[in-house]
Amino acid sequence: MKRVYLDNAATTPTASEVVEAMEPYFNENFGNPSSIYSFGREAKNTVEDAREKVAQLIGADDAAEIVFTSGGTEADNLAIKGVAMKNKEQGNHIITSAVEHHAVLHTCEYLEEYHDFEVTYLPVDENGLVNPIDVAEAITDDTILISIMLANNEVGSIQPIAEIGQIAQKNDIYFHTDAVQAVGSIPVDVNELNADLLALSGHKFNGPKGIGALYIRKGTQLTSFMHGGAQERGRRASTENVPAIVGLGKAAEIALEELDEKREKMIKLRDKLINGIKAEIDEVILNGHPTKRLPNNVNFSIRYIEGESLLLNLDLEDIAASSGSACTSGSLDPSHVLLAMGLSHEVAHGSLRLSLGKYNTEEDVDYVLEKLPAIVDKLRAMSPIYNQK
Amino acid sequence: MYSDKVMDHFQNPRNVGEIEAADGIGEVGNPTCGDIMKIYIKVNENEEIKDIKFKTFGCGAAVATSSITTEIVKGKSIEEARELTNKRVAEALDGLPPEKMHCSNLAADALQKAIDNYLGIEENNVCDDCEDMPG
């Protein structure tokens, strides 16, 4: 039987066109881009070509504003640590939100612990959105960086980033946005968003794993934390991962071409899933903003059941999904995002995320809508809190 | 991650349900933990567990430990059932992943509470760890 993969927010399959584009760069064209002879020059040209494609995908004015990294996590680390270290004489205050990815949250916590930074973690409303007024009010004379994600990885809520970027700009504060979940899913333009820094990751939009990029607006002052050679204009030492960079470039090119078509398809499938689950299962809560959400994100809390049990049962039906339950997060607490949105522990334990990708079909959605209600019934029949309602 | 035995009990849980007019009921865990187990026992005149049922809100390990606990003690005397510990339950399932040993392996505690309840012994809290949890 065919397996149904609905965890595209975790990772996506690498597109075959992307794999094909990468292949020659493992052996045929293996040169080091820093070498002066033809092997090196060819590799260098290829890297620059990919940089141009990534720049186009996010509306960067100049490809030199793109730095390749090992992924979204490194891009977030470079943005936040890089700006913090370089500008600490100007101030030691950073503003972020409670619902950021751990790549941002744990980086901020590191700066608090080891470098005497102060970090404001802004709350969110019940839909997971940051209020731009809260951002403006949190600014102090010491604020050097604001970092708010473009779209949330768990609940898909899309933040008012252009507005927040404008506030940062007016106050002459650097603005970083973690756009890992958004790029390739919705139109992203660094100028419209007023972003000085923007992180993206290849494997979230059918590129390879282990490659991402940080957009760094010209003039932004930051230090590198990878020291060594002069690669990436001195902003990220280490021999370029040429095959992966080629793959990211190809994925960016395809993502731009297919953006409108893909978005339309995702919204159709997403809404079918949302409406189907609401119609088939009682006492479910849609997590995240009802309309300001990623085209491919569905996140429900299914009352009275626990997420891991739900995922195991879905897996037995060959459906791959994700949950914010503690049991699936590796910690004792359920998702920090759901808790920040005001959900109780019990309701957060019962969350289910279904994230669509470009290879999903209407049959996939129909199959989930056929299997899920029976699984929920089975688990509720076993639940000691179901009868107590 | 889970043994075949855990998956078997998870997929085909034994003795799910409630017993009306149970002789003893034991409950452990809380929604904050993410695990709640409730065990019902019916005891006959020979002090044997004639019937046992459970209801569980929790992960795969929580369901499997509940299920195998009911299977182990069904038909046993109260005295024998008193011997059952969480550790023995985990062993009977061919082991549990380390991170599950603490939070989801409470079924024997629920059983002991049900026996306490039957014997009229005052409840003592067996889920201290859970209630001390942050958040």
PDB file of all heavy atoms in Angstrom, chain A residues 98-99 122-130 152 154-157 159 285-290 293 297 299-301 335-344 347-348 351:
ATOM      1  N   ALA A  98       7.785  34.251  21.991  1.00  0.00           N
ATOM      2  CA  ALA A  98       7.723  32.989  22.736  1.00  0.00           C
ATOM      3  C   ALA A  98       7.513  31.783  21.824  1.00  0.00           C
ATOM      4  O   ALA A  98       7.666  30.649  22.269  1.00  0.00           O
ATOM      5  CB  ALA A  98       6.586  33.054  23.763  1.00  0.00           C
ATOM      6  N   VAL A  99       7.152  32.016  20.561  1.00  0.00           N
ATOM      7  CA  VAL A  99       6.802  30.886  19.691  1.00  0.00           C
ATOM      8  C   VAL A  99       7.853  30.600  18.626  1.00  0.00           C
ATOM      9  O   VAL A  99       7.612  29.850  17.674  1.00  0.00           O
ATOM     10  CB  VAL A  99       5.421  31.091  19.010  1.00  0.00           C
ATOM     11  CG1 VAL A  99       4.326  31.147  20.058  1.00  0.00           C
ATOM     12  CG2 VAL A  99       5.406  32.329  18.134  1.00  0.00           C
ATOM     13  N   LEU A 122       8.355  38.032  23.602  1.00  0.00           N
ATOM     14  CA  LEU A 122       7.002  38.600  23.522  1.00  0.00           C
ATOM     15  C   LEU A 122       5.949  37.494  23.525  1.00  0.00           C
ATOM     16  O   LEU A 122       6.131  36.451  22.901  1.00  0.00           O
ATOM     17  CB  LEU A 122       6.856  39.428  22.239  1.00  0.00           C
ATOM     18  CG  LEU A 122       7.718  40.686  22.154  1.00  0.00           C
ATOM     19  CD1 LEU A 122       7.560  41.312  20.768  1.00  0.00           C
ATOM     20  CD2 LEU A 122       7.314  41.683  23.239  1.00  0.00           C
ATOM     21  N   PRO A 123       4.837  37.760  24.200  1.00  0.00           N
ATOM     22  CA  PRO A 123       3.747  36.776  24.189  1.00  0.00           C
ATOM     23  C   PRO A 123       3.025  36.802  22.840  1.00  0.00           C
ATOM     24  O   PRO A 123       3.253  37.705  22.027  1.00  0.00           O
ATOM     25  CB  PRO A 123       2.829  37.276  25.299  1.00  0.00           C
ATOM     26  CG  PRO A 123       3.045  38.753  25.328  1.00  0.00           C
ATOM     27  CD  PRO A 123       4.494  38.972  24.952  1.00  0.00           C
ATOM     28  N   VAL A 124       2.181  35.823  22.615  1.00  0.00           N
ATOM     29  CA  VAL A 124       1.359  35.796  21.399  1.00  0.00           C
ATOM     30  C   VAL A 124      -0.110  35.689  21.798  1.00  0.00           C
ATOM     31  O   VAL A 124      -0.414  35.317  22.935  1.00  0.00           O
ATOM     32  CB  VAL A 124       1.731  34.599  20.485  1.00  0.00           C
ATOM     33  CG1 VAL A 124       3.131  34.769  19.934  1.00  0.00           C
ATOM     34  CG2 VAL A 124       1.579  33.275  21.217  1.00  0.00           C
ATOM     35  N   ASP A 125      -0.993  35.995  20.856  1.00  0.00           N
ATOM     36  CA  ASP A 125      -2.425  35.852  21.147  1.00  0.00           C
ATOM     37  C   ASP A 125      -2.851  34.398  20.935  1.00  0.00           C
ATOM     38  O   ASP A 125      -2.016  33.531  20.660  1.00  0.00           O
ATOM     39  CB  ASP A 125      -3.262  36.847  20.322  1.00  0.00           C
ATOM     40  CG  ASP A 125      -3.220  36.556  18.822  1.00  0.00           C
ATOM     41  OD1 ASP A 125      -2.768  35.451  18.426  1.00  0.00           O
ATOM     42  OD2 ASP A 125      -3.646  37.416  18.035  1.00  0.00           O
ATOM     43  N   GLU A 126      -4.152  34.141  21.047  1.00  0.00           N
ATOM     44  CA  GLU A 126      -4.632  32.753  20.982  1.00  0.00           C
ATOM     45  C   GLU A 126      -4.410  32.132  19.599  1.00  0.00           C
ATOM     46  O   GLU A 126      -4.439  30.912  19.458  1.00  0.00           O
ATOM     47  CB  GLU A 126      -6.111  32.667  21.416  1.00  0.00           C
ATOM     48  CG  GLU A 126      -7.126  33.261  20.447  1.00  0.00           C
ATOM     49  CD  GLU A 126      -7.306  34.779  20.603  1.00  0.00           C
ATOM     50  OE1 GLU A 126      -6.473  35.433  21.277  1.00  0.00           O
ATOM     51  OE2 GLU A 126      -8.275  35.317  20.039  1.00  0.00           O
ATOM     52  N   ASN A 127      -4.147  32.970  18.592  1.00  0.00           N
ATOM     53  CA  ASN A 127      -3.863  32.435  17.258  1.00  0.00           C
ATOM     54  C   ASN A 127      -2.364  32.320  16.985  1.00  0.00           C
ATOM     55  O   ASN A 127      -1.944  31.992  15.881  1.00  0.00           O
ATOM     56  CB  ASN A 127      -4.497  33.317  16.183  1.00  0.00           C
ATOM     57  CG  ASN A 127      -6.012  33.216  16.189  1.00  0.00           C
ATOM     58  OD1 ASN A 127      -6.553  32.130  16.388  1.00  0.00           O
ATOM     59  ND2 ASN A 127      -6.693  34.325  15.997  1.00  0.00           N
ATOM     60  N   GLY A 128      -1.579  32.650  17.990  1.00  0.00           N
ATOM     61  CA  GLY A 128      -0.133  32.520  17.831  1.00  0.00           C
ATOM     62  C   GLY A 128       0.529  33.747  17.230  1.00  0.00           C
ATOM     63  O   GLY A 128       1.683  33.688  16.821  1.00  0.00           O
ATOM     64  N   LEU A 129      -0.215  34.865  17.168  1.00  0.00           N
ATOM     65  CA  LEU A 129       0.347  36.068  16.526  1.00  0.00           C
ATOM     66  C   LEU A 129       0.937  37.046  17.535  1.00  0.00           C
ATOM     67  O   LEU A 129       0.385  37.278  18.614  1.00  0.00           O
ATOM     68  CB  LEU A 129      -0.734  36.785  15.709  1.00  0.00           C
ATOM     69  CG  LEU A 129      -1.255  36.035  14.476  1.00  0.00           C
ATOM     70  CD1 LEU A 129      -2.223  36.905  13.688  1.00  0.00           C
ATOM     71  CD2 LEU A 129      -0.108  35.593  13.571  1.00  0.00           C
ATOM     72  N   VAL A 130       2.060  37.645  17.127  1.00  0.00           N
ATOM     73  CA  VAL A 130       2.702  38.709  17.895  1.00  0.00           C
ATOM     74  C   VAL A 130       2.003  40.018  17.543  1.00  0.00           C
ATOM     75  O   VAL A 130       1.664  40.257  16.384  1.00  0.00           O
ATOM     76  CB  VAL A 130       4.202  38.798  17.508  1.00  0.00           C
ATOM     77  CG1 VAL A 130       4.856  40.019  18.123  1.00  0.00           C
ATOM     78  CG2 VAL A 130       4.937  37.526  17.912  1.00  0.00           C
ATOM     79  N   ASN A 152       4.994  30.279  11.597  1.00  0.00           N
ATOM     80  CA  ASN A 152       5.306  29.309  12.655  1.00  0.00           C
ATOM     81  C   ASN A 152       5.326  27.885  12.122  1.00  0.00           C
ATOM     82  O   ASN A 152       4.444  27.466  11.370  1.00  0.00           O
ATOM     83  CB  ASN A 152       4.300  29.443  13.796  1.00  0.00           C
ATOM     84  CG  ASN A 152       4.672  28.565  14.966  1.00  0.00           C
ATOM     85  OD1 ASN A 152       4.217  27.435  15.054  1.00  0.00           O
ATOM     86  ND2 ASN A 152       5.546  29.054  15.818  1.00  0.00           N
ATOM     87  N   GLU A 154       4.845  25.081  13.776  1.00  0.00           N
ATOM     88  CA  GLU A 154       3.863  24.142  14.314  1.00  0.00           C
ATOM     89  C   GLU A 154       2.447  24.467  13.875  1.00  0.00           C
ATOM     90  O   GLU A 154       1.719  23.593  13.426  1.00  0.00           O
ATOM     91  CB  GLU A 154       3.943  24.127  15.848  1.00  0.00           C
ATOM     92  CG  GLU A 154       5.247  23.540  16.337  1.00  0.00           C
ATOM     93  CD  GLU A 154       5.241  23.345  17.842  1.00  0.00           C
ATOM     94  OE1 GLU A 154       4.180  23.027  18.413  1.00  0.00           O
ATOM     95  OE2 GLU A 154       6.298  23.521  18.451  1.00  0.00           O
ATOM     96  N   VAL A 155       2.050  25.729  14.055  1.00  0.00           N
ATOM     97  CA  VAL A 155       0.646  26.077  13.785  1.00  0.00           C
ATOM     98  C   VAL A 155       0.457  26.882  12.500  1.00  0.00           C
ATOM     99  O   VAL A 155      -0.671  27.146  12.100  1.00  0.00           O
ATOM    100  CB  VAL A 155       0.011  26.816  14.984  1.00  0.00           C
ATOM    101  CG1 VAL A 155      -0.002  25.909  16.205  1.00  0.00           C
ATOM    102  CG2 VAL A 155       0.726  28.118  15.282  1.00  0.00           C
ATOM    103  N   GLY A 156       1.553  27.257  11.851  1.00  0.00           N
ATOM    104  CA  GLY A 156       1.459  27.885  10.533  1.00  0.00           C
ATOM    105  C   GLY A 156       1.058  29.345  10.514  1.00  0.00           C
ATOM    106  O   GLY A 156       0.917  29.928   9.430  1.00  0.00           O
ATOM    107  N   SER A 157       0.868  29.951  11.685  1.00  0.00           N
ATOM    108  CA  SER A 157       0.432  31.357  11.710  1.00  0.00           C
ATOM    109  C   SER A 157       1.493  32.260  11.085  1.00  0.00           C
ATOM    110  O   SER A 157       2.681  32.119  11.365  1.00  0.00           O
ATOM    111  CB  SER A 157       0.166  31.807  13.148  1.00  0.00           C
ATOM    112  OG  SER A 157      -0.890  31.051  13.686  1.00  0.00           O
ATOM    113  N   GLN A 159       3.098  35.840  10.781  1.00  0.00           N
ATOM    114  CA  GLN A 159       3.226  37.038  11.609  1.00  0.00           C
ATOM    115  C   GLN A 159       3.177  38.313  10.746  1.00  0.00           C
ATOM    116  O   GLN A 159       3.559  38.284   9.572  1.00  0.00           O
ATOM    117  CB  GLN A 159       4.572  37.006  12.370  1.00  0.00           C
ATOM    118  CG  GLN A 159       4.781  35.788  13.242  1.00  0.00           C
ATOM    119  CD  GLN A 159       3.892  35.791  14.484  1.00  0.00           C
ATOM    120  OE1 GLN A 159       3.220  36.779  14.785  1.00  0.00           O
ATOM    121  NE2 GLN A 159       3.860  34.675  15.186  1.00  0.00           N
ATOM    122  N   ILE A 285     -10.157  21.390  17.964  1.00  0.00           N
ATOM    123  CA  ILE A 285      -9.857  22.823  17.977  1.00  0.00           C
ATOM    124  C   ILE A 285      -8.775  23.066  16.934  1.00  0.00           C
ATOM    125  O   ILE A 285      -7.711  22.438  16.983  1.00  0.00           O
ATOM    126  CB  ILE A 285      -9.315  23.250  19.361  1.00  0.00           C
ATOM    127  CG1 ILE A 285     -10.319  22.904  20.468  1.00  0.00           C
ATOM    128  CG2 ILE A 285      -8.953  24.730  19.371  1.00  0.00           C
ATOM    129  CD1 ILE A 285      -9.672  22.736  21.844  1.00  0.00           C
ATOM    130  N   LEU A 286      -9.053  23.959  15.973  1.00  0.00           N
ATOM    131  CA  LEU A 286      -8.020  24.312  14.993  1.00  0.00           C
ATOM    132  C   LEU A 286      -7.019  25.239  15.668  1.00  0.00           C
ATOM    133  O   LEU A 286      -7.392  26.297  16.171  1.00  0.00           O
ATOM    134  CB  LEU A 286      -8.656  25.004  13.778  1.00  0.00           C
ATOM    135  CG  LEU A 286      -7.666  25.415  12.680  1.00  0.00           C
ATOM    136  CD1 LEU A 286      -7.078  24.192  11.977  1.00  0.00           C
ATOM    137  CD2 LEU A 286      -8.330  26.336  11.657  1.00  0.00           C
ATOM    138  N   ASN A 287      -5.754  24.826  15.726  1.00  0.00           N
ATOM    139  CA  ASN A 287      -4.718  25.674  16.310  1.00  0.00           C
ATOM    140  C   ASN A 287      -4.099  26.543  15.228  1.00  0.00           C
ATOM    141  O   ASN A 287      -3.850  26.083  14.123  1.00  0.00           O
ATOM    142  CB  ASN A 287      -3.627  24.815  16.957  1.00  0.00           C
ATOM    143  CG  ASN A 287      -4.150  24.026  18.149  1.00  0.00           C
ATOM    144  OD1 ASN A 287      -4.889  24.558  18.976  1.00  0.00           O
ATOM    145  ND2 ASN A 287      -3.785  22.753  18.232  1.00  0.00           N
ATOM    146  N   GLY A 288      -3.821  27.805  15.589  1.00  0.00           N
ATOM    147  CA  GLY A 288      -3.233  28.734  14.623  1.00  0.00           C
ATOM    148  C   GLY A 288      -4.311  29.622  14.036  1.00  0.00           C
ATOM    149  O   GLY A 288      -5.510  29.392  14.231  1.00  0.00           O
ATOM    150  N   HIS A 289      -3.876  30.642  13.312  1.00  0.00           N
ATOM    151  CA  HIS A 289      -4.840  31.594  12.753  1.00  0.00           C
ATOM    152  C   HIS A 289      -5.667  30.933  11.651  1.00  0.00           C
ATOM    153  O   HIS A 289      -5.119  30.220  10.810  1.00  0.00           O
ATOM    154  CB  HIS A 289      -4.099  32.815  12.209  1.00  0.00           C
ATOM    155  CG  HIS A 289      -4.999  33.987  12.001  1.00  0.00           C
ATOM    156  ND1 HIS A 289      -5.822  34.098  10.907  1.00  0.00           N
ATOM    157  CD2 HIS A 289      -5.233  35.073  12.775  1.00  0.00           C
ATOM    158  CE1 HIS A 289      -6.511  35.234  11.006  1.00  0.00           C
ATOM    159  NE2 HIS A 289      -6.179  35.828  12.132  1.00  0.00           N
ATOM    160  N   PRO A 290      -7.000  31.170  11.646  1.00  0.00           N
ATOM    161  CA  PRO A 290      -7.833  30.504  10.638  1.00  0.00           C
ATOM    162  C   PRO A 290      -7.489  30.889   9.195  1.00  0.00           C
ATOM    163  O   PRO A 290      -7.582  30.055   8.292  1.00  0.00           O
ATOM    164  CB  PRO A 290      -9.258  30.942  10.991  1.00  0.00           C
ATOM    165  CG  PRO A 290      -9.127  32.074  11.959  1.00  0.00           C
ATOM    166  CD  PRO A 290      -7.792  31.943  12.620  1.00  0.00           C
ATOM    167  N   ARG A 293      -2.520  31.806   7.736  1.00  0.00           N
ATOM    168  CA  ARG A 293      -1.728  30.617   8.026  1.00  0.00           C
ATOM    169  C   ARG A 293      -1.111  30.083   6.749  1.00  0.00           C
ATOM    170  O   ARG A 293      -1.578  30.367   5.641  1.00  0.00           O
ATOM    171  CB  ARG A 293      -2.571  29.550   8.728  1.00  0.00           C
ATOM    172  CG  ARG A 293      -3.565  28.820   7.844  1.00  0.00           C
ATOM    173  CD  ARG A 293      -4.452  27.882   8.659  1.00  0.00           C
ATOM    174  NE  ARG A 293      -3.713  26.834   9.335  1.00  0.00           N
ATOM    175  CZ  ARG A 293      -3.893  26.526  10.628  1.00  0.00           C
ATOM    176  NH1 ARG A 293      -4.761  27.178  11.367  1.00  0.00           N
ATOM    177  NH2 ARG A 293      -3.199  25.554  11.163  1.00  0.00           N
ATOM    178  N   ASN A 297      -0.375  24.098   6.129  1.00  0.00           N
ATOM    179  CA  ASN A 297      -0.404  23.690   7.548  1.00  0.00           C
ATOM    180  C   ASN A 297      -1.805  23.434   8.077  1.00  0.00           C
ATOM    181  O   ASN A 297      -2.701  24.269   7.961  1.00  0.00           O
ATOM    182  CB  ASN A 297       0.261  24.768   8.405  1.00  0.00           C
ATOM    183  CG  ASN A 297       0.170  24.456   9.898  1.00  0.00           C
ATOM    184  OD1 ASN A 297      -0.892  24.571  10.499  1.00  0.00           O
ATOM    185  ND2 ASN A 297       1.275  24.037  10.484  1.00  0.00           N
ATOM    186  N   ASN A 299      -3.319  22.129  11.842  1.00  0.00           N
ATOM    187  CA  ASN A 299      -2.965  21.729  13.213  1.00  0.00           C
ATOM    188  C   ASN A 299      -4.221  21.746  14.077  1.00  0.00           C
ATOM    189  O   ASN A 299      -4.844  22.787  14.270  1.00  0.00           O
ATOM    190  CB  ASN A 299      -1.900  22.672  13.786  1.00  0.00           C
ATOM    191  CG  ASN A 299      -1.358  22.168  15.117  1.00  0.00           C
ATOM    192  OD1 ASN A 299      -2.121  21.778  16.009  1.00  0.00           O
ATOM    193  ND2 ASN A 299      -0.045  22.153  15.258  1.00  0.00           N
ATOM    194  N   PHE A 300      -4.576  20.567  14.564  1.00  0.00           N
ATOM    195  CA  PHE A 300      -5.762  20.443  15.412  1.00  0.00           C
ATOM    196  C   PHE A 300      -5.372  19.906  16.774  1.00  0.00           C
ATOM    197  O   PHE A 300      -4.455  19.078  16.887  1.00  0.00           O
ATOM    198  CB  PHE A 300      -6.750  19.435  14.810  1.00  0.00           C
ATOM    199  CG  PHE A 300      -7.680  20.018  13.784  1.00  0.00           C
ATOM    200  CD1 PHE A 300      -7.472  19.791  12.427  1.00  0.00           C
ATOM    201  CD2 PHE A 300      -8.778  20.772  14.175  1.00  0.00           C
ATOM    202  CE1 PHE A 300      -8.337  20.317  11.472  1.00  0.00           C
ATOM    203  CE2 PHE A 300      -9.648  21.297  13.224  1.00  0.00           C
ATOM    204  CZ  PHE A 300      -9.423  21.077  11.876  1.00  0.00           C
ATOM    205  N   SER A 301      -6.087  20.347  17.807  1.00  0.00           N
ATOM    206  CA  SER A 301      -6.070  19.611  19.068  1.00  0.00           C
ATOM    207  C   SER A 301      -7.323  18.752  19.063  1.00  0.00           C
ATOM    208  O   SER A 301      -8.422  19.248  18.848  1.00  0.00           O
ATOM    209  CB  SER A 301      -6.090  20.555  20.263  1.00  0.00           C
ATOM    210  OG  SER A 301      -4.786  21.006  20.522  1.00  0.00           O
ATOM    211  N   SER A 335       4.436  21.083  23.455  1.00  0.00           N
ATOM    212  CA  SER A 335       4.932  22.189  22.636  1.00  0.00           C
ATOM    213  C   SER A 335       4.884  23.566  23.300  1.00  0.00           C
ATOM    214  O   SER A 335       3.840  23.993  23.791  1.00  0.00           O
ATOM    215  CB  SER A 335       4.087  22.204  21.366  1.00  0.00           C
ATOM    216  OG  SER A 335       3.871  23.518  20.926  1.00  0.00           O
ATOM    217  N   HIS A 336       6.012  24.275  23.288  1.00  0.00           N
ATOM    218  CA  HIS A 336       6.058  25.629  23.852  1.00  0.00           C
ATOM    219  C   HIS A 336       5.187  26.587  23.053  1.00  0.00           C
ATOM    220  O   HIS A 336       4.711  27.583  23.575  1.00  0.00           O
ATOM    221  CB  HIS A 336       7.509  26.138  23.900  1.00  0.00           C
ATOM    222  CG  HIS A 336       8.124  26.373  22.542  1.00  0.00           C
ATOM    223  ND1 HIS A 336       8.575  25.353  21.732  1.00  0.00           N
ATOM    224  CD2 HIS A 336       8.354  27.513  21.851  1.00  0.00           C
ATOM    225  CE1 HIS A 336       9.060  25.866  20.603  1.00  0.00           C
ATOM    226  NE2 HIS A 336       8.934  27.170  20.652  1.00  0.00           N
ATOM    227  N   VAL A 337       4.971  26.266  21.785  1.00  0.00           N
ATOM    228  CA  VAL A 337       4.144  27.134  20.942  1.00  0.00           C
ATOM    229  C   VAL A 337       2.688  27.058  21.397  1.00  0.00           C
ATOM    230  O   VAL A 337       2.021  28.085  21.616  1.00  0.00           O
ATOM    231  CB  VAL A 337       4.257  26.720  19.451  1.00  0.00           C
ATOM    232  CG1 VAL A 337       3.293  27.527  18.589  1.00  0.00           C
ATOM    233  CG2 VAL A 337       5.692  26.889  18.959  1.00  0.00           C
ATOM    234  N   LEU A 338       2.187  25.839  21.567  1.00  0.00           N
ATOM    235  CA  LEU A 338       0.787  25.662  21.967  1.00  0.00           C
ATOM    236  C   LEU A 338       0.552  26.213  23.369  1.00  0.00           C
ATOM    237  O   LEU A 338      -0.484  26.834  23.624  1.00  0.00           O
ATOM    238  CB  LEU A 338       0.395  24.180  21.885  1.00  0.00           C
ATOM    239  CG  LEU A 338       0.482  23.566  20.477  1.00  0.00           C
ATOM    240  CD1 LEU A 338       0.168  22.081  20.525  1.00  0.00           C
ATOM    241  CD2 LEU A 338      -0.454  24.268  19.500  1.00  0.00           C
ATOM    242  N   LEU A 339       1.515  26.028  24.258  1.00  0.00           N
ATOM    243  CA  LEU A 339       1.358  26.565  25.618  1.00  0.00           C
ATOM    244  C   LEU A 339       1.354  28.099  25.582  1.00  0.00           C
ATOM    245  O   LEU A 339       0.569  28.737  26.285  1.00  0.00           O
ATOM    246  CB  LEU A 339       2.466  26.044  26.543  1.00  0.00           C
ATOM    247  CG  LEU A 339       2.471  24.532  26.826  1.00  0.00           C
ATOM    248  CD1 LEU A 339       3.606  24.182  27.791  1.00  0.00           C
ATOM    249  CD2 LEU A 339       1.133  24.041  27.384  1.00  0.00           C
ATOM    250  N   ALA A 340       2.213  28.686  24.736  1.00  0.00           N
ATOM    251  CA  ALA A 340       2.268  30.151  24.625  1.00  0.00           C
ATOM    252  C   ALA A 340       0.957  30.711  24.082  1.00  0.00           C
ATOM    253  O   ALA A 340       0.578  31.843  24.371  1.00  0.00           O
ATOM    254  CB  ALA A 340       3.433  30.583  23.730  1.00  0.00           C
ATOM    255  N   MET A 341       0.244  29.906  23.296  1.00  0.00           N
ATOM    256  CA  MET A 341      -1.049  30.336  22.745  1.00  0.00           C
ATOM    257  C   MET A 341      -2.174  30.177  23.765  1.00  0.00           C
ATOM    258  O   MET A 341      -3.324  30.473  23.475  1.00  0.00           O
ATOM    259  CB  MET A 341      -1.368  29.527  21.484  1.00  0.00           C
ATOM    260  CG  MET A 341      -0.502  29.945  20.292  1.00  0.00           C
ATOM    261  SD  MET A 341      -0.480  28.704  18.971  1.00  0.00           S
ATOM    262  CE  MET A 341      -2.206  28.538  18.602  1.00  0.00           C
ATOM    263  N   GLY A 342      -1.825  29.661  24.935  1.00  0.00           N
ATOM    264  CA  GLY A 342      -2.812  29.569  26.010  1.00  0.00           C
ATOM    265  C   GLY A 342      -3.524  28.236  26.113  1.00  0.00           C
ATOM    266  O   GLY A 342      -4.472  28.093  26.883  1.00  0.00           O
ATOM    267  N   LEU A 343      -3.075  27.230  25.355  1.00  0.00           N
ATOM    268  CA  LEU A 343      -3.712  25.918  25.472  1.00  0.00           C
ATOM    269  C   LEU A 343      -3.312  25.261  26.793  1.00  0.00           C
ATOM    270  O   LEU A 343      -2.191  25.445  27.263  1.00  0.00           O
ATOM    271  CB  LEU A 343      -3.259  25.002  24.322  1.00  0.00           C
ATOM    272  CG  LEU A 343      -4.124  24.996  23.061  1.00  0.00           C
ATOM    273  CD1 LEU A 343      -4.045  26.340  22.364  1.00  0.00           C
ATOM    274  CD2 LEU A 343      -3.675  23.902  22.107  1.00  0.00           C
ATOM    275  N   SER A 344      -4.218  24.484  27.367  1.00  0.00           N
ATOM    276  CA  SER A 344      -3.877  23.731  28.569  1.00  0.00           C
ATOM    277  C   SER A 344      -2.937  22.597  28.169  1.00  0.00           C
ATOM    278  O   SER A 344      -2.881  22.215  26.999  1.00  0.00           O
ATOM    279  CB  SER A 344      -5.143  23.158  29.210  1.00  0.00           C
ATOM    280  OG  SER A 344      -5.644  22.110  28.404  1.00  0.00           O
ATOM    281  N   VAL A 347      -4.820  19.718  26.414  1.00  0.00           N
ATOM    282  CA  VAL A 347      -5.211  19.969  25.021  1.00  0.00           C
ATOM    283  C   VAL A 347      -3.968  19.999  24.116  1.00  0.00           C
ATOM    284  O   VAL A 347      -3.995  19.510  22.987  1.00  0.00           O
ATOM    285  CB  VAL A 347      -6.036  21.273  24.924  1.00  0.00           C
ATOM    286  CG1 VAL A 347      -6.338  21.617  23.472  1.00  0.00           C
ATOM    287  CG2 VAL A 347      -7.337  21.123  25.713  1.00  0.00           C
ATOM    288  N   ALA A 348      -2.863  20.541  24.655  1.00  0.00           N
ATOM    289  CA  ALA A 348      -1.629  20.584  23.862  1.00  0.00           C
ATOM    290  C   ALA A 348      -1.086  19.173  23.607  1.00  0.00           C
ATOM    291  O   ALA A 348      -0.553  18.887  22.534  1.00  0.00           O
ATOM    292  CB  ALA A 348      -0.571  21.426  24.576  1.00  0.00           C
ATOM    293  N   SER A 351      -2.368  17.368  20.298  1.00  0.00           N
ATOM    294  CA  SER A 351      -2.317  18.089  19.023  1.00  0.00           C
ATOM    295  C   SER A 351      -1.802  17.204  17.891  1.00  0.00           C
ATOM    296  O   SER A 351      -1.014  16.285  18.108  1.00  0.00           O
ATOM    297  CB  SER A 351      -1.445  19.340  19.148  1.00  0.00           C
ATOM    298  OG  SER A 351      -0.080  18.997  19.112  1.00  0.00           O
TER     299      SER A 351
END
